[in-house]
Each structure stands twice: as C-alpha cells, then as structure tokens.
C-alpha cells in the first residue's frame, strides 16, 4: 500500500524524465539508428520519479529550485555516463572528468526545465489520483499546492 | 488613485509566473541564430555584449513590474499619465512593427524541413489556430500560461539534453568565459557590414521591441500585486461574463508597515522570477544553442560558412545537419523541431500581447471605446492582425515592404530606448516615495536608454545604416 502511494507520486517525474530522454533518442529506434540515445530515457525517468517520491515524503518542498537542482547535479551526469558506457557517441573523448563536469553544468538547465514541467503536471496528476483512490501522501501534497495557488 | 489593500504575496519560490511570457517572447531568433552566428564570426568573446543586454533586460523587467504591481495599471497608462503623446507613440509603433507576420517564417520553414508541408500553409494554419484558441478561452491568461509553460519547459529540457550530447567542456567554458571579455570588439565588428548586426543582436538579447511593456499587462492579468483588483480579459465566447473594467488603477497605503511588508514580498517574488526564470532560462538556451553551433562548426566546417551568411534558414539547416551527424538523423529533426517551437511560442506570445496592449490603450484612451467590452476590443485587434497576416503571407512579403524594413528595425530599437526613458519618468514621478526605485536601479535604466539609443544613432550617423 505504502509502495503504491509512493509510486503514484513518482508518475509525473517519470513522465518528464522519459520525455526528455525520448527527445534525445527515443525516436532513433524508428529511424533504424542504434538506439544508444534512447538509453538516456530510462535513467532520466527513474531519477525524475525519485524526485516525485522525495517530494511526497517531505525532504523536498514543491516549487523550490535548490533540491531539484542538487538532485540533477548528480543524477544528470550519472545518466549520461550510463548512456555513454553502454552506447558510446564519442562524448568522453576528452576524458571522464571533463565529460562529467560539462554534464553537471548542463544539468542546471535541465533542472530548470524539469521543474518547470513537473510543477505544471503534478497538481493535475494529484487531482486525478484523489478522484480514483485514497492516497494520504498525495492528498497532503495537493493541499500544499492548493494553499499556494490561493495566495 | 483610490486606495485598496495589497494582496498577500506568494512565496518567492513559486516557480511559475507571468515571466513565462517574457521567456516565450524573448527566446527567439536572437538566441537561436543571431548570437551563435556572432560567436562563430567573432569568437565567444563577443558574448560580453549579450551578458550586458540580458542583464539590462532583467532590470527593465523588475522596473516594469514595479509600476504594474503597485497600481494594477499597464506601463502604457503610466506613460499616458506622464505625457499622453508618449503613449500614442507606442500605440503607433506597435502597429507599424508587429503587424507583419515575418517572425512566423523561420519556425514554419523549420517545420517544412521536417514534414515537407509548405511553410505558408503551416503559417496560415498557425495564425487561424491562434485566433480560435484565444477566442474560445474563458480566461485567456490561464490558457496561454499553461500552453506556453509546457512549450517552454519542453524547449529548455530538450536544448539541455541536445547540448549535453553534442557539446563538450571546452565549448561551454569558452562560451561562458567569453561573456566576461568586457570591451572586446574586433576591428571587423566596427564595419558598416557588421556593426548594425551587432546592434540588432544586442537589442534582440532577451525580449526586444515592446515585449517588456506588454509584460506589464500579463503581470496585471495574472493578479500580481494590485493587479488582483483588475478584472481579467476573457475570450470572445465568454465576453458576456466580463466584469466592468475600472477606468484607473489603485494604490495601497505606503505609510502602513503591514502593507509595505507585503510589497516587499511581491518584490521578492518578481525578483526570483527575473533572476532565475528570465535571466537563467534565456542565458541557458543561448549557451546551449551556441554550444550546438560551435560543435556543428567543428564537425562540419561548411556550417561556419553557412551560418556566416545572411540566410537564416540555410544556417539553421546546416546546424541541424551537424547535430544529426553527432547523434542520429533524428537529432537534426529534433533540433529543427525546437526552431519550429520557438516560432510557435513567438507567434502565440506576440499576437496575444499585441492585441492586449492595443485593446488596453484603446479602452482607456479612445473616446467612446468603453461602450465595448475589453474582450471585444482584444478580439478585434487579434483577428485584425491575423487577417492582415494571412493576406500578407499569401500576397505580399512576410516581413513587410522591403522599403520600410529599415524603418521598422529602427522603430523597434528606438522603442526600447524610449521605454527606458518612460520607465524613469513613470516610476520616479508617479509612484509614492517609499516604493520608488533605488538610485542604482535608475542608473542602470538610464544606462539602458543611452545604450540602445546611443548604439542606434551611432550606427545611423557613422555608417548610414540602422540595425541588422
């Protein structure tokens, strides 16, 4: 039951992460290209889902940038590293450290975009969850969004 | 102005606000084409001018917000309070500069590259779609904010992911360090061929022309500050539900410490928006596109020649080809998709903003206009500019007659210098002392006026050319 509650909170983040990965390469499967870029979608979706769970369990506050920025500062370079390890595209030609440093810089922008979309999706998703079944964590988070929207 | 209570400010961490309009309007051809092109021509050091341009725009945004949040009035009404012809000048400039549908062409051309659908078909369909969406919406602001937020969000994560895949540490380091090479101007940048282009690029760093002035209308319609006391504009289908618009704005009691505390809360909120969302996102998208352009030029030297040319479409396709070679052919398609997305954002934002601004000025200052509802005026301007746009797309040059192009470019940049002067007058003469801008803020806005007007007239006097 608790697991279901947490997984439901992860859905919007999963969706945004998967969308970002798909932009980079999900379509490559249809184009008959090696699907290496598509591998980015999986870690980005998982970390995106993790963000949603952390939001529901309290350590992260909705709408604040710093937690999302910190999460992606670690998670984005790791996701890219996983992708390059499985299907190299030559991104690590200068070495692993410069590669990771560059990805960490880009992660800041990714975090802004992620949060931007997540904040749009999450309240609507929570409304749907509430209409279908009981999820106290989702209700609590929704109440927070409603309080903020009424200000 | 009548005194009313200032509403409570939202937490400054509230991630989404009317800034989304400025970002949607501001992140356009300047960021995706003009600046990457200048970097390939003159090196990353030229980006210090971009840093100045965007930072200046962030301060302009904060000062535009000051008047709009304190009174619930647009900056146009503020200008009319100072000197009515000043407002009519902006009314005329908006019509002259923004009725031409040229901004649609790049996005529609990119869409043609992807799908093969002729760009005029896409552009005309897009125009009609924009009109229908805004006419059917109950409260236009909500629809537009939701729509643009999703589009901008997709643009930001998409450009970040693509830059992550095609760029490198050295690209981003040179791009960022270039922003601090203050004063760098290579000899060829001061030529008749390139100086006007640089002036144009500075004007296009972030929102250009009158976009900042329209932001005050979005801020008001989002209920920011005293804007909460002003009814919202509705779509044509729901015009009957519109409440009566007051003929003037309101003011809160600046002698009351509780009200001043709320005011400081609103300022924190808008400052967060200006710094993180506006400055951050604009900077991020430009850096991403510059990194992509540099990576493209590295992989395919032909890109450099293409992007140096004057043909925007050729340059963008060359960048798309190079992006394709970095990952897969689909990456190139995704890149062109972003260009199409930028075109769509600009179209949505510009048409709404233009109609909103003209309707606001007409309703408040044209005798007899109050017999109509604001929603009717908005719809009139919206469909007027759409019909004119379709006629021009089908039968005329999209950017307007070539003979007056220079005049339009001049007016667009001149309006930016003029609104800096307007801001100084409005905020320092019309607002109560406790909420007037600080000296340093006035100094930056004053610098903005000198920067835009100075570069514009220097270009005109020294080279006989306006902006590029």
């Amino acid at each position: 039951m608790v697991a279901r509650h947490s997984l439901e909170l992860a859905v919007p983040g999963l969706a945004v992460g998967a969308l970002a990965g798909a932009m980079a390469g999900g379509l490559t499967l249809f184009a008959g290209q090696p699907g290496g870029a598509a591998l980015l979608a999986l870690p980005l979706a998982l970390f995106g889902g993790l963000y949603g769970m952390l939001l529901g369990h309290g350590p992260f506050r909705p709408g604040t940038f710093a937690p999302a920025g910190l999460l992606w500062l670690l998670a984005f370079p790791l996701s890219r590293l996983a992708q390059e390890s499985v299907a190299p595209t030559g991104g690590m030609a200068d070495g692993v450290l410069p590669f990771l440093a560059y990805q960490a810089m880009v992660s800041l922008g990714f975090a802004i975009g992620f949060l931007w979309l997540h904040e749009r999706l999450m309240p609507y998703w929570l409304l749907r969850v509430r209409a279908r079944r009981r999820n106290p964590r989702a209700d609590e988070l929704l109440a927070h969004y409603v309080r903020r929207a009424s200000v | 102005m009548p005194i009313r209570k200032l509403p409570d400010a939202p937490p400054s961490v509230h991630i989404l606000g009317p800034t989304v309009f400025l970002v949607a309007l501001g992140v356009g051809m300047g960021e995706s084409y003009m600046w990457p092109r200048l970097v390939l021509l003159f090196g990353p050091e030229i980006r210090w001018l971009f840093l100045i341009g965007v930072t200046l725009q962030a301060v302009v945004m904060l000062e535009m917000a000051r008047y709009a949040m304190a009174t619930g009035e647009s900056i146009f009404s503020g200008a009319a309070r100072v000197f009515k012809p000043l407002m009519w000048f902006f009314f005329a400039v908006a019509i002259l500069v923004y009725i031409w549908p040229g901004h649609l062409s790049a996005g529609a051309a990119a869409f043609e590259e992807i799908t093969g659908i002729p760009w005029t078909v896409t552009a005309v369909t897009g125009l009609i779609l924009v009109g229908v969406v805004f006419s059917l919406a109950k409260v236009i602001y909500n629809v537009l904010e939701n729509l643009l937020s999703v589009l901008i969000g997709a643009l930001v994560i998409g450009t970040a992911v693509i830059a992550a895949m095609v760029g490198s540490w050295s690209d981003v380091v040179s791009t960022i360090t270039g922003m601090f090479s203050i004063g760098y101007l290579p000899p060829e940048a001061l030529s008749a061929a390139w100086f006007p282009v640089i002036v144009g690029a500075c004007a296009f760093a972030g929102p250009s022309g009158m976009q900042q002035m329209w932001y005050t209308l979005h801020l008001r319609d989002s209920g920011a500050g005293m804007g909460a006391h002003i009814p919202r504009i509705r779509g044509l289908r729901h015009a009957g539900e519109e409440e009566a618009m007051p003929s003037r704005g309101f003011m809160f009691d600046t002698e009351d410490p509780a009200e001043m505390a709320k005011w400081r809360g609103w300022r924190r909120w808008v400052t967060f928006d200006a710094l993180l969302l506006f400055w951050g996102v604009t900077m991020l998208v430009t850096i991403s596109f510059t990194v992509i352009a540099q990576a493209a030029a590295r992989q395919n030297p032909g890109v450099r020649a293409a992007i140096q040319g004057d043909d925007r479409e050729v340059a963008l396709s060359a960048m798309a080809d190079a992006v394709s070679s970095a990952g897969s052919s689909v990456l190139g398609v995704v890149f062109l998709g972003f260009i199409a997305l930028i075109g769509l954002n600009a179209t949505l934002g510009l048409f709404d903003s233009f109609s909103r601004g003209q309707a606001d000025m007409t309703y408040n200052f044209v005798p007899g206009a109050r017999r109509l509802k604001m929603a009717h005026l908005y719809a009139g301007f919206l469909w007027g500019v759409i019909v004119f746009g379709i006629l021009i797309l089908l039968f005329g040059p999209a950017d307007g007659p070539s003979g007056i192009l220079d005049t339009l470019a001049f007016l667009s940049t001149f309006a930016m210098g003029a609104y800096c002067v307007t801001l100084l007058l409005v905020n320092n003469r019309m607002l109560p002392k406790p909420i007037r801008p600080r000296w340093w803020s006035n100094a930056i806005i004053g610098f903005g006026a000198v920067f835009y007007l100075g570069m514009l007239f220097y270009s005109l006097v020294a080279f006989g050319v306006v902006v590029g």
Side-chain angles (χ1 to χ4, degrees):
Chain A
M1 184 63 82
V2 174
R4 178 179 65 81
H5 291 170
S6 296
L7 282 174
E8 278 179 341
L9 292 174
V11 170
L14 270 166
V16 176
L19 170 80
M23 278 182 174
L27 292 167
T28 50
L29 298 172
F30 298 105
Q33 300 280 339
L39 290 168
L40 188 59
L42 182 66
L44 289 182
L46 289 175
F47 283 117
L50 176 67
Y51 172 81
M53 285 185 186
L54 290 169
L55 208 57
H57 286 268
F60 288 5
R61 273 177 41 219
T64 45
F65 177 72
L70 281 172
L71 175 82
W72 287 111
L73 189 69
L74 297 169
F76 190 80
L78 283 176
S79 305
R80 283 279 295 124
L81 188 64
Q83 181 203 5
E84 284 289 325
S85 309
V86 177
T89 59
M92 289 201 282
D94 297 339
V96 177
L97 277 181
F99 170 81
L100 288 175
Y102 172 63
Q103 301 303 326
M105 285 184 93
V106 173
S107 76
L108 177 72
F110 182 83
I112 293 176
F114 173 85
L115 194 59
W116 193 302
L117 284 174
H118 193 272
E119 286 290 291
R120 276 276 155 228
L121 286 175
M122 192 62 153
Y124 290 109
W125 173 249
L126 293 174
L127 282 169
R128 282 188 62 124
V129 169
R130 191 177 65 174
R132 288 190 353 236
R133 57 172 76 89
R134 228 186 91 64
N135 182 339
R137 288 202 183 280
D139 291 347
E140 215 172 292
L141 198 55
L142 180 62
H144 184 101
Y145 277 108
V146 170
R147 266 199 310 278
R148 213 183 54 188
S150 62
V151 169
Chain B
M1 289 184 194
I3 297 288
R4 291 269 183 97
K5 280 278 178 212
L6 187 66
D8 287 319
S12 55
V13 295
H14 177 89
I15 190 82
L16 291 165
T19 311
V20 68
F21 295 98
L22 264 193
V23 175
L25 289 167
V27 174
M29 283 305 126
E31 284 66 21
S32 59
Y33 167 68
M34 283 181 172
W35 282 98
R37 178 185 181 206
L38 286 179
V39 166
L40 288 182
L41 279 166
F42 302 122
E45 293 83 3
I46 198 76
R47 283 182 50 87
W48 68 276
L49 281 165
F50 180 80
L51 179 70
I52 288 180
V54 175
T55 307
L56 190 57
Q57 287 291 322
V59 178
V60 166
M61 172 183 163
L62 285 169
E63 289 311 318
M64 288 277 178
R66 184 183 299 275
Y67 185 77
M69 290 196 312
T71 62
E73 285 186 355
S74 70
I75 193 69
F76 300 114
S77 299
R81 285 177 184 276
V82 172
F83 184 52
K84 207 168 269 182
L86 192 59
M87 185 212 72
W88 290 119
F89 160 77
F90 288 118
F91 185 90
V93 167
I95 291 177
L96 290 170
V97 174
Y98 290 103
I99 52 170
W100 311 102
H103 55 270
L104 269 173
S105 61
F111 195 69
E112 182 177 352
E113 290 252 351
I114 302 171
T115 59
I117 299 169
W119 77 271
T120 39
V121 174
T122 312
V124 169
T125 311
L127 285 180
I128 294 171
L129 199 67
V130 168
V132 170
V133 167
F134 289 155
S135 298
L136 295 180
K138 184 170 167 61
V139 175
I140 291 164
Y141 177 84
N142 294 356
V143 171
L144 195 60
E145 196 195 281
N146 280 323
L147 198 60
L148 287 180
S149 293
V150 171
L151 294 177
I152 292 282
L155 179 76
V156 171
I157 56 171
T159 47
V161 166
I162 290 206
M165 290 185 67
V166 302
S168 70
W169 173 248
S170 54
D171 283 335
V172 83
V173 166
S174 66
T175 301
I176 291 176
T177 50
M179 284 198 297
F180 299 97
S181 310
I182 309 289
Y184 165 82
L185 268 182
E188 61 269 33
L190 291 169
S191 64
W194 287 108
F195 188 78
V197 174
I198 290 175
V199 176
C202 287
F204 274 81
S208 59
M210 289 173 58
Q211 294 164 6
Q212 287 270 17
M213 303 184 87
W214 291 330
Y215 164 68
T216 60
L217 296 154
H218 291 120
L219 204 56
R220 181 179 79 182
D221 231 22
S222 72
M226 297 304 273
H229 299 296
I230 310 283
R232 304 168 117 197
I233 299 183
R234 295 181 181 275
L236 195 57
R237 200 167 71 91
H238 298 271
E241 301 161 32
E242 189 171 282
E243 303 132 82
M245 286 274 174
S247 56
R248 52 173 46 199
F250 302 97
M251 180 49 68
F252 60 95
D253 182 2
T254 53
E255 302 301 315
D256 179 349
E259 292 288 277
M260 284 304 285
K262 284 191 276 185
W263 171 251
R264 283 189 291 275
W266 278 109
R267 292 302 293 170
R268 269 196 302 277
W269 172 78
V270 81
T271 304
F272 172 85
D273 257 19
L275 296 183
L276 182 75
L277 293 184
F278 168 71
W279 195 92
V281 170
T282 307
M283 204 44 97
L284 165 87
V285 174
T286 318
I287 288 174
S288 295
F289 269 100
T290 306
V291 164
I292 291 168
Q294 284 178 299
R298 209 177 33 245
Q299 285 160 18
N300 175 3
V303 171
R304 186 177 293 273
I307 207 170
Q308 281 170 359
D310 214 10
D311 191 334
R312 191 172 58 192
E313 276 75 28
V314 171
L316 291 174
S317 335
M319 276 166 81
D321 290 345
V323 169
S324 298
S325 65
S328 74
S329 58
V330 173
L331 272 186
V333 171
V334 171
F335 175 80
L336 287 171
F338 287 140
I339 300 295
L341 194 62
I342 284 173
L344 178 65
N345 282 340
T347 308
L348 282 166
L350 275 177
F351 279 60
D352 166 77
S353 301
F354 169 83
S355 313
R356 207 176 272 267
Q358 301 306 89
D360 183 76
M361 287 185 260
T362 307
Y363 187 84
N364 287 315
F365 298 102
V366 171
R370 286 178 169 273
R371 282 200 293 272
L372 296 166
K373 286 188 180 298
M374 186 73 96
H376 294 140
L377 290 169
Y378 174 93
F381 279 107
L382 179 72
W383 282 104
V385 80
I386 286 172
V387 169
F388 181 81
I390 291 171
L391 291 173
I392 290 290
L393 283 172
L394 296 177
F395 307 110
D399 284 323
S402 54
I404 65 162
L405 267 183
D406 278 357
T407 314
L408 299 181
F410 173 87
L411 278 175
S412 183
T413 315
F414 186 76
M416 296 173 80
Y419 71 46
C420 287
V421 175
T422 306
L423 261 183
L424 287 173
L425 290 169
V426 169
N427 280 346
N428 290 290
R429 286 183 51 191
M430 296 296 144
L431 291 177
K433 270 210 169 67
I435 57 171
R436 282 182 191 172
R438 300 272 169 83
W439 67 268
W440 54 266
S441 185
N442 281 331
I444 293 173
I445 300 292
F447 167 78
V450 173
F451 182 70
Y452 293 126
L453 295 176
M455 296 233 295
L456 181 67
F457 284 108
Y458 178 76
S459 183
L460 206 58
V461 171
F463 306 113
V465 195
V466 290
V467 296

